[in-house]
Amino acid sequence: MATTFYETYSFDSSRPFRKSRWVSLLRKLGIAMGLFLILLMLSNVNACFRRPHVRRPAYLTTSTPYNATLVTNIAFQPPEPVPYRVSDTIDTFTGYKYRNICNISSLDLHTPFAPLCRNRESMLTAMSSGGRIGNDAPYMPRDCDMRWFTTEEICEILSRFEKVIVVGDSMMRHVIGSMNVLIRKDLGYGAVTDWNFSPEERQDCFCNHQFNVKACSVQGIYKTADVFKNDPSSLACPADTVDLMIEQMVRFPIEPEELARFRDLLPTSKPDRPYAFVYGHGLWNDLDLQATLNWLDLVEATARKGAPWLDDGLSSLSTSSLSSVPNTTETTRNHAGFWPRLFVTPNAAGKGKPDEWLVSQGNKALMVFEQSVGIEVAKRGVDHLGTWNMSVQSNKFDGVHVDLKGNLIKAMMVMNWLNLLEVEKF
Protein backbone atom coordinates (compact mmCIF):
# COMPACT_ATOMS: atom_id res chain seq x y z
CA MET A 1 0.00 0.00 0.00
CA ALA A 2 1.47 3.39 -1.03
CA THR A 3 2.24 5.85 1.70
CA THR A 4 1.36 9.53 1.57
CA PHE A 5 3.79 12.44 1.85
CA TYR A 6 2.39 13.34 5.26
CA GLU A 7 2.82 9.82 6.53
CA THR A 8 6.45 9.72 5.35
CA TYR A 9 7.38 12.93 7.19
CA SER A 10 5.02 12.73 10.13
CA PHE A 11 6.36 12.95 13.64
CA ASP A 12 7.93 9.76 14.94
CA SER A 13 8.91 9.65 18.57
CA SER A 14 11.61 7.14 17.74
CA ARG A 15 13.49 9.76 15.62
CA PRO A 16 14.51 13.00 17.37
CA PHE A 17 13.08 16.04 15.61
CA ARG A 18 15.86 18.59 14.73
CA LYS A 19 13.67 21.71 14.33
CA SER A 20 14.94 23.32 17.55
CA ARG A 21 18.54 22.90 16.38
CA TRP A 22 17.82 24.68 13.09
CA VAL A 23 16.01 27.48 14.88
CA SER A 24 18.99 27.97 17.21
CA LEU A 25 21.40 28.01 14.26
CA LEU A 26 19.32 30.56 12.37
CA ARG A 27 19.10 32.75 15.49
CA LYS A 28 22.90 32.73 15.90
CA LEU A 29 23.36 33.51 12.21
CA GLY A 30 20.97 36.44 12.48
CA ILE A 31 22.83 37.80 15.51
CA ALA A 32 26.16 37.52 13.68
CA MET A 33 24.79 39.32 10.63
CA GLY A 34 23.35 42.04 12.85
CA LEU A 35 26.70 42.57 14.56
CA PHE A 36 28.44 42.69 11.19
CA LEU A 37 26.01 45.35 9.92
CA ILE A 38 26.51 47.41 13.08
CA LEU A 39 30.30 47.27 12.71
CA LEU A 40 30.00 48.23 9.05
CA MET A 41 27.83 51.24 9.93
CA LEU A 42 30.24 52.35 12.65
CA SER A 43 33.14 52.05 10.21
CA ASN A 44 31.32 54.25 7.70
CA VAL A 45 30.49 56.84 10.36
CA ASN A 46 34.12 56.90 11.50
CA ALA A 47 35.29 57.34 7.92
CA CYS A 48 32.99 60.34 7.55
CA PHE A 49 34.49 62.16 10.53
CA ARG A 50 38.11 61.05 10.21
CA ARG A 51 40.42 62.76 7.72
CA PRO A 52 41.73 60.54 4.93
CA HIS A 53 45.29 59.26 5.30
CA VAL A 54 47.64 61.88 3.92
CA ARG A 55 49.72 60.96 0.92
CA ARG A 56 52.02 62.80 -1.42
CA PRO A 57 51.38 63.10 -5.18
CA ALA A 58 52.40 60.10 -7.27
CA TYR A 59 55.35 61.88 -8.90
CA LEU A 60 57.03 62.06 -5.49
CA THR A 61 56.60 58.40 -4.66
CA THR A 62 57.35 56.84 -8.05
CA SER A 63 60.51 56.99 -10.13
CA THR A 64 60.15 58.99 -13.37
CA PRO A 65 63.15 58.72 -15.73
CA TYR A 66 64.40 61.89 -17.38
CA ASN A 67 64.57 61.07 -21.09
CA ALA A 68 64.75 64.56 -22.54
CA THR A 69 67.42 65.20 -25.13
CA LEU A 70 70.38 67.00 -23.57
CA VAL A 71 71.31 70.38 -24.99
CA THR A 72 75.04 70.51 -25.62
CA ASN A 73 77.37 73.34 -24.66
CA ILE A 74 75.11 74.93 -22.05
CA ALA A 75 75.71 75.11 -18.29
CA PHE A 76 72.18 74.17 -17.25
CA GLN A 77 69.75 71.80 -18.91
CA PRO A 78 66.11 72.88 -19.40
CA PRO A 79 63.54 71.59 -16.89
CA GLU A 80 62.07 68.12 -17.39
CA PRO A 81 59.15 68.11 -19.89
CA VAL A 82 56.61 66.94 -17.32
CA PRO A 83 53.36 68.69 -16.28
CA TYR A 84 54.37 69.44 -12.70
CA ARG A 85 57.38 71.50 -13.81
CA VAL A 86 55.37 73.90 -15.98
CA SER A 87 54.86 76.31 -13.07
CA ASP A 88 58.64 76.57 -12.66
CA THR A 89 58.90 78.17 -16.10
CA ILE A 90 56.12 80.79 -15.83
CA ASP A 91 55.42 83.78 -13.60
CA THR A 92 53.26 82.23 -10.88
CA PHE A 93 52.58 85.73 -9.48
CA THR A 94 50.58 86.78 -12.55
CA GLY A 95 47.26 86.56 -10.71
CA TYR A 96 48.52 88.02 -7.42
CA LYS A 97 47.24 91.32 -6.06
CA TYR A 98 49.55 94.28 -6.72
CA ARG A 99 51.77 92.18 -8.98
CA ASN A 100 52.54 95.06 -11.32
CA ILE A 101 52.84 97.74 -8.64
CA CYS A 102 55.26 95.71 -6.51
CA ASN A 103 56.97 94.65 -9.76
CA ILE A 104 57.99 91.16 -8.68
CA SER A 105 57.87 88.11 -10.93
CA SER A 106 58.59 84.60 -9.70
CA LEU A 107 60.99 84.34 -12.66
CA ASP A 108 63.03 87.13 -11.02
CA LEU A 109 63.50 84.88 -8.00
CA HIS A 110 64.35 81.46 -9.39
CA THR A 111 65.71 80.11 -12.69
CA PRO A 112 64.61 76.50 -13.29
CA PHE A 113 66.83 73.77 -14.71
CA ALA A 114 67.15 69.97 -14.77
CA PRO A 115 67.42 67.65 -13.00
CA LEU A 116 64.99 68.16 -10.15
CA CYS A 117 66.22 66.99 -6.74
CA ARG A 118 64.54 63.67 -5.98
CA ASN A 119 64.86 63.39 -2.21
CA ARG A 120 65.01 65.57 0.89
CA GLU A 121 68.72 65.16 1.53
CA SER A 122 69.81 66.17 -1.97
CA MET A 123 67.27 69.02 -1.98
CA LEU A 124 68.55 70.53 1.28
CA THR A 125 72.17 70.22 0.14
CA ALA A 126 71.37 71.82 -3.22
CA MET A 127 69.37 74.69 -1.72
CA SER A 128 71.97 75.37 1.00
CA SER A 129 74.88 75.49 -1.46
CA GLY A 130 73.21 77.24 -4.41
CA GLY A 131 73.68 80.85 -5.41
CA ARG A 132 73.17 83.60 -8.00
CA ILE A 133 74.95 84.71 -11.15
CA GLY A 134 75.18 88.40 -10.21
CA ASN A 135 73.76 90.65 -7.50
CA ASP A 136 70.00 90.15 -6.93
CA ALA A 137 69.89 87.75 -9.91
CA PRO A 138 67.50 84.77 -9.82
CA TYR A 139 68.56 82.10 -7.33
CA MET A 140 69.56 78.58 -8.42
CA PRO A 141 70.29 75.56 -6.21
CA ARG A 142 73.48 73.62 -6.90
CA ASP A 143 73.60 70.31 -8.86
CA CYS A 144 69.82 69.73 -8.81
CA ASP A 145 66.83 72.04 -8.82
CA MET A 146 63.97 72.93 -6.47
CA ARG A 147 60.35 73.49 -7.45
CA TRP A 148 58.62 76.86 -7.64
CA PHE A 149 55.11 75.88 -6.64
CA THR A 150 51.83 77.47 -7.58
CA THR A 151 49.62 78.68 -4.74
CA GLU A 152 47.30 75.72 -5.32
CA GLU A 153 50.23 73.32 -4.91
CA ILE A 154 51.31 75.15 -1.75
CA CYS A 155 47.82 74.75 -0.28
CA GLU A 156 47.90 71.02 -1.04
CA ILE A 157 51.32 70.61 0.58
CA LEU A 158 50.27 72.45 3.76
CA SER A 159 47.05 70.41 3.93
CA ARG A 160 49.13 67.26 4.50
CA PHE A 161 49.94 68.56 7.99
CA GLU A 162 47.76 69.12 11.03
CA LYS A 163 49.88 72.16 11.87
CA VAL A 164 53.13 73.73 10.69
CA ILE A 165 54.80 75.57 13.58
CA VAL A 166 57.60 78.06 13.00
CA VAL A 167 59.73 78.79 16.08
CA GLY A 168 62.28 81.57 16.16
CA ASP A 169 63.13 85.23 15.71
CA SER A 170 62.35 88.09 13.31
CA MET A 171 63.98 86.27 10.37
CA MET A 172 61.54 83.41 10.87
CA ARG A 173 58.68 85.89 11.27
CA HIS A 174 59.56 87.15 7.80
CA VAL A 175 59.58 83.58 6.46
CA ILE A 176 56.07 82.87 7.71
CA GLY A 177 55.03 86.30 6.42
CA SER A 178 56.21 85.31 2.95
CA MET A 179 54.36 82.00 3.18
CA ASN A 180 51.22 84.02 3.91
CA VAL A 181 51.94 86.16 0.84
CA LEU A 182 51.92 82.96 -1.20
CA ILE A 183 48.70 81.50 0.19
CA ARG A 184 46.90 84.87 0.06
CA LYS A 185 48.15 85.68 -3.46
CA ASP A 186 48.91 89.20 -2.29
CA LEU A 187 52.34 90.82 -2.83
CA GLY A 188 51.18 94.14 -1.41
CA TYR A 189 49.79 93.17 2.00
CA GLY A 190 49.87 89.37 2.16
CA ALA A 191 52.30 89.21 5.10
CA VAL A 192 50.49 91.64 7.42
CA THR A 193 47.14 92.08 9.18
CA ASP A 194 45.91 94.59 6.63
CA TRP A 195 42.26 94.03 7.56
CA ASN A 196 42.71 96.34 10.56
CA PHE A 197 45.06 98.88 8.94
CA SER A 198 44.40 102.58 8.92
CA PRO A 199 44.79 104.47 5.61
CA GLU A 200 48.22 105.63 6.80
CA GLU A 201 49.31 102.06 7.60
CA ARG A 202 48.13 100.86 4.21
CA GLN A 203 50.36 103.47 2.65
CA ASP A 204 53.36 102.80 4.91
CA CYS A 205 53.24 98.98 4.95
CA PHE A 206 53.04 98.19 1.23
CA CYS A 207 55.12 95.68 -0.78
CA ASN A 208 58.68 95.63 0.61
CA HIS A 209 57.68 97.82 3.56
CA GLN A 210 55.80 94.84 5.04
CA PHE A 211 59.25 93.68 6.14
CA ASN A 212 61.64 96.63 6.16
CA VAL A 213 59.50 98.95 8.32
CA LYS A 214 59.56 97.63 11.87
CA ALA A 215 56.15 99.10 12.76
CA CYS A 216 54.73 97.08 9.85
CA SER A 217 56.76 93.91 10.38
CA VAL A 218 55.53 93.48 13.95
CA GLN A 219 51.97 93.53 12.58
CA GLY A 220 52.71 90.42 10.60
CA ILE A 221 50.35 87.45 10.47
CA TYR A 222 51.34 85.09 13.28
CA LYS A 223 48.80 82.38 12.45
CA THR A 224 46.50 81.58 9.55
CA ALA A 225 43.65 81.11 12.02
CA ASP A 226 43.57 84.92 12.32
CA VAL A 227 43.16 85.24 8.56
CA PHE A 228 40.35 82.66 8.50
CA LYS A 229 38.66 84.65 11.27
CA ASN A 230 39.13 88.20 10.00
CA ASP A 231 39.64 88.01 6.24
CA PRO A 232 38.77 84.48 5.04
CA SER A 233 38.15 85.51 1.44
CA SER A 234 41.81 86.52 1.08
CA LEU A 235 43.03 82.94 1.53
CA ALA A 236 43.39 80.82 -1.59
CA CYS A 237 43.43 77.57 0.44
CA PRO A 238 40.14 75.83 1.30
CA ALA A 239 38.80 76.57 4.77
CA ASP A 240 40.20 74.52 7.67
CA THR A 241 42.85 72.80 5.53
CA VAL A 242 45.86 74.94 6.50
CA ASP A 243 47.17 75.73 9.98
CA LEU A 244 50.40 77.74 9.83
CA MET A 245 51.73 79.73 12.78
CA ILE A 246 54.81 81.12 14.53
CA GLU A 247 55.84 81.07 18.19
CA GLN A 248 58.54 83.68 18.77
CA MET A 249 61.36 82.49 21.03
CA VAL A 250 64.36 84.61 20.16
CA ARG A 251 67.04 83.92 22.79
CA PHE A 252 68.34 81.48 25.36
CA PRO A 253 67.44 81.23 28.23
CA ILE A 254 63.84 81.03 27.00
CA GLU A 255 61.15 82.79 29.00
CA PRO A 256 58.86 80.33 30.88
CA GLU A 257 55.69 81.89 29.45
CA GLU A 258 57.02 81.37 25.92
CA LEU A 259 57.63 77.69 26.62
CA ALA A 260 54.16 77.38 28.16
CA ARG A 261 52.53 78.89 25.06
CA PHE A 262 54.50 76.54 22.84
CA ARG A 263 53.56 73.49 24.90
CA ASP A 264 49.87 74.46 24.76
CA LEU A 265 49.99 74.30 20.96
CA LEU A 266 50.58 70.55 21.04
CA PRO A 267 47.85 67.95 21.65
CA THR A 268 48.57 65.18 24.13
CA SER A 269 47.13 62.51 21.82
CA LYS A 270 48.28 61.72 18.29
CA PRO A 271 46.39 63.73 15.63
CA ASP A 272 45.19 62.49 12.24
CA ARG A 273 47.96 64.30 10.37
CA PRO A 274 51.58 65.05 11.35
CA TYR A 275 52.96 68.27 12.80
CA ALA A 276 56.01 69.91 11.18
CA PHE A 277 58.40 72.27 12.96
CA VAL A 278 60.65 74.94 11.41
CA TYR A 279 63.27 76.44 13.75
CA GLY A 280 65.44 79.52 13.44
CA HIS A 281 67.84 80.98 16.00
CA GLY A 282 71.25 82.55 16.42
CA LEU A 283 71.57 86.32 16.15
CA TRP A 284 69.91 87.14 19.49
CA ASN A 285 72.57 85.02 21.20
CA ASP A 286 75.36 86.55 19.09
CA LEU A 287 75.87 83.32 17.09
CA ASP A 288 76.89 81.45 20.24
CA LEU A 289 76.72 77.82 19.08
CA GLN A 290 76.23 76.35 22.54
CA ALA A 291 73.45 78.80 23.37
CA THR A 292 71.68 77.87 20.12
CA LEU A 293 71.98 74.14 20.86
CA ASN A 294 70.68 74.71 24.39
CA TRP A 295 67.78 76.67 22.90
CA LEU A 296 67.00 73.85 20.48
CA ASP A 297 67.28 71.12 23.13
CA LEU A 298 64.93 72.99 25.45
CA VAL A 299 62.36 73.58 22.71
CA GLU A 300 62.43 69.90 21.76
CA ALA A 301 62.31 68.71 25.37
CA THR A 302 59.25 70.90 25.92
CA ALA A 303 57.61 69.46 22.81
CA ARG A 304 58.26 65.88 23.93
CA LYS A 305 56.88 66.58 27.37
CA GLY A 306 53.67 68.11 26.00
CA ALA A 307 53.20 65.67 23.10
CA PRO A 308 54.79 62.28 23.83
CA TRP A 309 53.38 60.89 20.57
CA LEU A 310 56.01 62.94 18.70
CA ASP A 311 58.58 60.41 19.83
CA ASP A 312 57.56 56.74 19.85
CA GLY A 313 60.55 55.76 21.97
CA LEU A 314 61.46 56.94 25.45
CA SER A 315 62.32 60.61 25.62
CA SER A 316 66.06 61.04 25.53
CA LEU A 317 65.96 64.26 27.51
CA SER A 318 65.38 63.93 31.24
CA THR A 319 62.91 66.09 33.11
CA SER A 320 65.79 67.92 34.74
CA SER A 321 66.94 69.09 31.32
CA LEU A 322 63.92 71.37 31.11
CA SER A 323 65.66 73.69 33.55
CA SER A 324 69.31 72.87 32.81
CA VAL A 325 70.13 71.70 29.29
CA PRO A 326 73.37 69.71 28.93
CA ASN A 327 75.57 69.52 25.85
CA THR A 328 73.69 66.61 24.31
CA THR A 329 74.89 64.59 21.34
CA GLU A 330 74.33 60.81 21.28
CA THR A 331 71.38 61.01 23.67
CA THR A 332 69.18 62.91 21.26
CA ARG A 333 69.63 61.09 17.96
CA ASN A 334 67.67 58.42 16.10
CA HIS A 335 64.15 58.80 17.45
CA ALA A 336 61.56 56.33 16.23
CA GLY A 337 58.60 58.67 15.76
CA PHE A 338 57.78 60.63 12.59
CA TRP A 339 58.73 64.09 13.80
CA PRO A 340 59.80 66.39 10.91
CA ARG A 341 61.94 69.35 12.01
CA LEU A 342 63.99 71.82 10.00
CA PHE A 343 66.55 74.28 11.36
CA VAL A 344 67.06 77.37 9.17
CA THR A 345 70.28 79.26 9.91
CA PRO A 346 70.54 83.07 9.41
CA ASN A 347 71.16 84.63 6.03
CA ALA A 348 74.31 86.53 5.02
CA ALA A 349 75.07 90.00 6.33
CA GLY A 350 74.87 93.03 4.07
CA LYS A 351 76.88 96.22 3.73
CA GLY A 352 74.47 97.99 6.07
CA LYS A 353 75.40 95.75 9.01
CA PRO A 354 76.33 98.00 11.97
CA ASP A 355 80.09 98.13 12.52
CA GLU A 356 79.88 96.89 16.11
CA TRP A 357 78.51 93.55 14.85
CA LEU A 358 80.92 92.95 11.98
CA VAL A 359 83.15 90.61 14.00
CA SER A 360 80.63 88.64 16.08
CA GLN A 361 77.85 88.59 13.43
CA GLY A 362 79.71 89.29 10.21
CA ASN A 363 79.85 86.96 7.22
CA LYS A 364 82.77 84.87 8.49
CA ALA A 365 80.98 84.25 11.79
CA LEU A 366 77.73 83.47 9.94
CA MET A 367 79.45 80.94 7.65
CA VAL A 368 81.13 79.15 10.58
CA PHE A 369 77.86 79.16 12.52
CA GLU A 370 75.89 77.70 9.59
CA GLN A 371 78.36 74.86 9.11
CA SER A 372 78.56 74.08 12.84
CA VAL A 373 74.80 74.12 13.35
CA GLY A 374 74.33 71.76 10.39
CA ILE A 375 76.66 69.23 11.99
CA GLU A 376 75.13 69.46 15.46
CA VAL A 377 71.44 69.41 14.56
CA ALA A 378 72.01 66.32 12.38
CA LYS A 379 73.03 64.49 15.57
CA ARG A 380 69.59 65.34 16.93
CA GLY A 381 67.71 64.06 13.88
CA VAL A 382 66.89 67.61 12.71
CA ASP A 383 67.21 68.64 9.05
CA HIS A 384 69.21 71.77 8.23
CA LEU A 385 68.76 74.50 5.62
CA GLY A 386 71.51 77.05 5.10
CA THR A 387 70.60 80.43 3.62
CA TRP A 388 74.00 82.18 3.48
CA ASN A 389 74.77 81.23 -0.13
CA MET A 390 71.26 82.13 -1.29
CA SER A 391 71.40 85.58 0.31
CA VAL A 392 75.00 86.79 -0.01
CA GLN A 393 74.15 88.55 -3.32
CA SER A 394 70.65 89.62 -2.31
CA ASN A 395 69.41 92.98 -1.04
CA LYS A 396 69.35 93.46 2.73
CA PHE A 397 67.63 96.68 3.71
CA ASP A 398 69.26 96.94 7.16
CA GLY A 399 72.32 94.77 6.64
CA VAL A 400 70.58 91.93 8.51
CA HIS A 401 67.21 91.04 6.96
CA VAL A 402 66.58 90.23 3.29
CA ASP A 403 63.81 91.99 1.40
CA LEU A 404 60.47 90.62 0.18
CA LYS A 405 62.11 88.81 -2.75
CA GLY A 406 64.71 87.14 -0.54
CA ASN A 407 62.07 86.06 1.96
CA LEU A 408 59.87 84.61 -0.78
CA ILE A 409 62.81 82.43 -1.82
CA LYS A 410 63.27 81.30 1.80
CA ALA A 411 59.56 80.48 2.01
CA MET A 412 59.73 78.41 -1.18
CA MET A 413 62.76 76.56 0.18
CA VAL A 414 60.75 75.59 3.24
CA MET A 415 57.86 74.51 1.00
CA ASN A 416 60.22 72.22 -0.95
CA TRP A 417 61.31 70.60 2.34
CA LEU A 418 57.69 70.12 3.42
CA ASN A 419 56.83 68.66 0.02
CA LEU A 420 59.44 65.91 0.32
CA LEU A 421 58.53 64.79 3.85
CA GLU A 422 57.30 61.19 3.81
CA VAL A 423 53.94 61.82 5.44
CA GLU A 424 52.87 58.25 4.61
CA LYS A 425 55.02 57.11 7.54
CA PHE A 426 52.89 58.97 10.07
mmCIF file of all heavy atoms in Angstrom, residues 385-405:
data_model
loop_
_atom_site.group_PDB
_atom_site.id
_atom_site.type_symbol
_atom_site.label_atom_id
_atom_site.label_comp_id
_atom_site.label_asym_id
_atom_site.label_seq_id
_atom_site.Cartn_x
_atom_site.Cartn_y
_atom_site.Cartn_z
ATOM 1 N N LEU A 385 68.771 73.694 6.837
ATOM 2 C CA LEU A 385 68.758 74.495 5.617
ATOM 3 C C LEU A 385 69.619 75.736 5.837
ATOM 4 O O LEU A 385 69.330 76.559 6.715
ATOM 5 C CB LEU A 385 67.334 74.918 5.252
ATOM 6 C CG LEU A 385 67.202 75.916 4.093
ATOM 7 C CD1 LEU A 385 67.713 75.313 2.788
ATOM 8 C CD2 LEU A 385 65.751 76.378 3.943
ATOM 9 N N GLY A 386 70.679 75.859 5.064
ATOM 10 C CA GLY A 386 71.510 77.053 5.105
ATOM 11 C C GLY A 386 71.018 78.085 4.118
ATOM 12 O O GLY A 386 70.585 77.746 3.017
ATOM 13 N N THR A 387 71.086 79.368 4.506
ATOM 14 C CA THR A 387 70.602 80.433 3.618
ATOM 15 C C THR A 387 71.690 81.451 3.274
ATOM 16 O O THR A 387 71.415 82.437 2.603
ATOM 17 C CB THR A 387 69.407 81.172 4.255
ATOM 18 O OG1 THR A 387 69.833 81.801 5.477
ATOM 19 C CG2 THR A 387 68.267 80.207 4.546
ATOM 20 N N TRP A 388 72.934 81.218 3.724
ATOM 21 C CA TRP A 388 73.995 82.178 3.480
ATOM 22 C C TRP A 388 74.290 82.311 1.992
ATOM 23 O O TRP A 388 74.338 83.415 1.443
ATOM 24 C CB TRP A 388 75.273 81.779 4.234
ATOM 25 C CG TRP A 388 76.295 82.879 4.267
ATOM 26 C CD1 TRP A 388 76.440 83.832 5.211
ATOM 27 C CD2 TRP A 388 77.293 83.135 3.267
ATOM 28 N NE1 TRP A 388 77.469 84.689 4.884
ATOM 29 C CE2 TRP A 388 78.022 84.282 3.685
ATOM 30 C CE3 TRP A 388 77.662 82.523 2.074
ATOM 31 C CZ2 TRP A 388 79.074 84.813 2.955
ATOM 32 C CZ3 TRP A 388 78.703 83.066 1.334
ATOM 33 C CH2 TRP A 388 79.399 84.189 1.776
ATOM 34 N N ASN A 389 74.458 81.188 1.305
ATOM 35 C CA ASN A 389 74.766 81.232 -0.127
ATOM 36 C C ASN A 389 73.647 81.878 -0.926
ATOM 37 O O ASN A 389 73.903 82.644 -1.858
ATOM 38 C CB ASN A 389 75.026 79.821 -0.654
ATOM 39 C CG ASN A 389 76.434 79.342 -0.361
ATOM 40 O OD1 ASN A 389 77.404 79.924 -0.805
ATOM 41 N ND2 ASN A 389 76.539 78.285 0.420
ATOM 42 N N MET A 390 72.406 81.560 -0.581
ATOM 43 C CA MET A 390 71.263 82.130 -1.294
ATOM 44 C C MET A 390 71.221 83.648 -1.163
ATOM 45 O O MET A 390 70.832 84.363 -2.092
ATOM 46 C CB MET A 390 69.961 81.529 -0.749
ATOM 47 C CG MET A 390 68.686 82.069 -1.396
ATOM 48 S SD MET A 390 68.094 83.655 -0.730
ATOM 49 C CE MET A 390 67.616 83.199 0.921
ATOM 50 N N SER A 391 71.653 84.172 -0.014
ATOM 51 C CA SER A 391 71.405 85.576 0.315
ATOM 52 C C SER A 391 72.611 86.492 0.196
ATOM 53 O O SER A 391 72.465 87.715 0.301
ATOM 54 C CB SER A 391 70.869 85.669 1.749
ATOM 55 O OG SER A 391 71.780 85.075 2.668
ATOM 56 N N VAL A 392 73.812 85.944 -0.027
ATOM 57 C CA VAL A 392 75.000 86.791 -0.010
ATOM 58 C C VAL A 392 74.959 87.843 -1.121
ATOM 59 O O VAL A 392 75.516 88.942 -0.972
ATOM 60 C CB VAL A 392 76.289 85.937 -0.095
ATOM 61 C CG1 VAL A 392 76.415 85.242 -1.445
ATOM 62 C CG2 VAL A 392 77.523 86.778 0.219
ATOM 63 N N GLN A 393 74.271 87.576 -2.233
ATOM 64 C CA GLN A 393 74.149 88.545 -3.317
ATOM 65 C C GLN A 393 72.731 89.106 -3.428
ATOM 66 O O GLN A 393 72.319 89.562 -4.487
ATOM 67 C CB GLN A 393 74.554 87.917 -4.648
ATOM 68 C CG GLN A 393 76.053 87.668 -4.784
ATOM 69 C CD GLN A 393 76.416 87.155 -6.162
ATOM 70 O OE1 GLN A 393 76.006 86.061 -6.559
ATOM 71 N NE2 GLN A 393 77.174 87.938 -6.909
ATOM 72 N N SER A 394 71.994 89.070 -2.313
ATOM 73 C CA SER A 394 70.647 89.623 -2.311
ATOM 74 C C SER A 394 70.621 90.942 -1.551
ATOM 75 O O SER A 394 71.555 91.278 -0.814
ATOM 76 C CB SER A 394 69.666 88.630 -1.662
ATOM 77 O OG SER A 394 69.937 88.512 -0.271
ATOM 78 N N ASN A 395 69.538 91.692 -1.716
ATOM 79 C CA ASN A 395 69.405 92.982 -1.043
ATOM 80 C C ASN A 395 68.994 92.778 0.414
ATOM 81 O O ASN A 395 68.075 92.015 0.708
ATOM 82 C CB ASN A 395 68.372 93.843 -1.762
ATOM 83 C CG ASN A 395 68.827 94.250 -3.151
ATOM 84 O OD1 ASN A 395 70.013 94.489 -3.377
ATOM 85 N ND2 ASN A 395 67.896 94.330 -4.086
ATOM 86 N N LYS A 396 69.666 93.489 1.291
ATOM 87 C CA LYS A 396 69.348 93.460 2.729
ATOM 88 C C LYS A 396 69.197 94.901 3.201
ATOM 89 O O LYS A 396 70.172 95.642 3.286
ATOM 90 C CB LYS A 396 70.450 92.719 3.496
ATOM 91 C CG LYS A 396 70.431 91.210 3.212
ATOM 92 C CD LYS A 396 71.698 90.531 3.630
ATOM 93 C CE LYS A 396 72.796 90.707 2.607
ATOM 94 N NZ LYS A 396 72.589 89.962 1.351
ATOM 95 N N PHE A 397 67.942 95.266 3.501
ATOM 96 C CA PHE A 397 67.634 96.678 3.712
ATOM 97 C C PHE A 397 68.308 97.266 4.940
ATOM 98 O O PHE A 397 68.554 98.468 5.003
ATOM 99 C CB PHE A 397 66.112 96.881 3.791
ATOM 100 C CG PHE A 397 65.418 96.070 4.853
ATOM 101 C CD1 PHE A 397 65.301 96.533 6.144
ATOM 102 C CD2 PHE A 397 64.876 94.830 4.544
ATOM 103 C CE1 PHE A 397 64.665 95.792 7.115
ATOM 104 C CE2 PHE A 397 64.227 94.081 5.512
ATOM 105 C CZ PHE A 397 64.124 94.562 6.803
ATOM 106 N N ASP A 398 68.613 96.440 5.944
ATOM 107 C CA ASP A 398 69.265 96.938 7.158
ATOM 108 C C ASP A 398 70.605 96.244 7.427
ATOM 109 O O ASP A 398 71.163 96.370 8.506
ATOM 110 C CB ASP A 398 68.345 96.776 8.366
ATOM 111 C CG ASP A 398 67.935 95.323 8.598
ATOM 112 O OD1 ASP A 398 68.316 94.459 7.786
ATOM 113 O OD2 ASP A 398 67.222 95.052 9.589
ATOM 114 N N GLY A 399 71.078 95.514 6.457
ATOM 115 C CA GLY A 399 72.316 94.765 6.640
ATOM 116 C C GLY A 399 72.122 93.435 7.328
ATOM 117 O O GLY A 399 73.063 92.652 7.464
ATOM 118 N N VAL A 400 70.886 93.158 7.767
ATOM 119 C CA VAL A 400 70.578 91.925 8.512
ATOM 120 C C VAL A 400 69.501 91.117 7.804
ATOM 121 O O VAL A 400 69.674 89.925 7.521
ATOM 122 C CB VAL A 400 70.126 92.256 9.950
ATOM 123 C CG1 VAL A 400 69.789 90.972 10.720
ATOM 124 C CG2 VAL A 400 71.191 93.058 10.691
ATOM 125 N N HIS A 401 68.366 91.741 7.509
ATOM 126 C CA HIS A 401 67.206 91.043 6.957
ATOM 127 C C HIS A 401 67.129 91.218 5.444
ATOM 128 O O HIS A 401 67.370 92.321 4.933
ATOM 129 C CB HIS A 401 65.912 91.578 7.580
ATOM 130 C CG HIS A 401 65.847 91.433 9.068
ATOM 131 N ND1 HIS A 401 66.348 92.396 9.928
ATOM 132 C CD2 HIS A 401 65.353 90.438 9.847
ATOM 133 C CE1 HIS A 401 66.156 92.007 11.175
ATOM 134 N NE2 HIS A 401 65.566 90.821 11.165
ATOM 135 N N VAL A 402 66.788 90.145 4.744
ATOM 136 C CA VAL A 402 66.584 90.231 3.294
ATOM 137 C C VAL A 402 65.232 90.873 3.012
ATOM 138 O O VAL A 402 64.361 90.955 3.878
ATOM 139 C CB VAL A 402 66.678 88.843 2.624
ATOM 140 C CG1 VAL A 402 68.084 88.297 2.722
ATOM 141 C CG2 VAL A 402 65.677 87.862 3.240
ATOM 142 N N ASP A 403 65.048 91.324 1.779
ATOM 143 C CA ASP A 403 63.809 91.993 1.397
ATOM 144 C C ASP A 403 62.721 90.982 1.054
ATOM 145 O O ASP A 403 62.880 89.773 1.265
ATOM 146 C CB ASP A 403 64.070 92.950 0.237
ATOM 147 C CG ASP A 403 64.610 92.239 -1.008
ATOM 148 O OD1 ASP A 403 64.691 90.986 -1.006
ATOM 149 O OD2 ASP A 403 64.958 92.935 -1.988
ATOM 150 N N LEU A 404 61.608 91.497 0.507
ATOM 151 C CA LEU A 404 60.472 90.625 0.181
ATOM 152 C C LEU A 404 60.896 89.515 -0.775
ATOM 153 O O LEU A 404 60.517 88.345 -0.596
ATOM 154 C CB LEU A 404 59.352 91.462 -0.437
ATOM 155 C CG LEU A 404 58.143 90.700 -0.995
ATOM 156 C CD1 LEU A 404 57.490 89.827 0.078
ATOM 157 C CD2 LEU A 404 57.124 91.676 -1.594
ATOM 158 N N LYS A 405 61.698 89.831 -1.778
ATOM 159 C CA LYS A 405 62.115 88.813 -2.745
ATOM 160 C C LYS A 405 62.958 87.726 -2.087
ATOM 161 O O LYS A 405 62.756 86.532 -2.332
ATOM 162 C CB LYS A 405 62.882 89.472 -3.903
ATOM 163 C CG LYS A 405 62.038 90.396 -4.752
ATOM 164 C CD LYS A 405 62.688 90.717 -6.076
ATOM 165 C CE LYS A 405 63.892 91.598 -5.921
ATOM 166 N NZ LYS A 405 64.444 92.012 -7.225
#
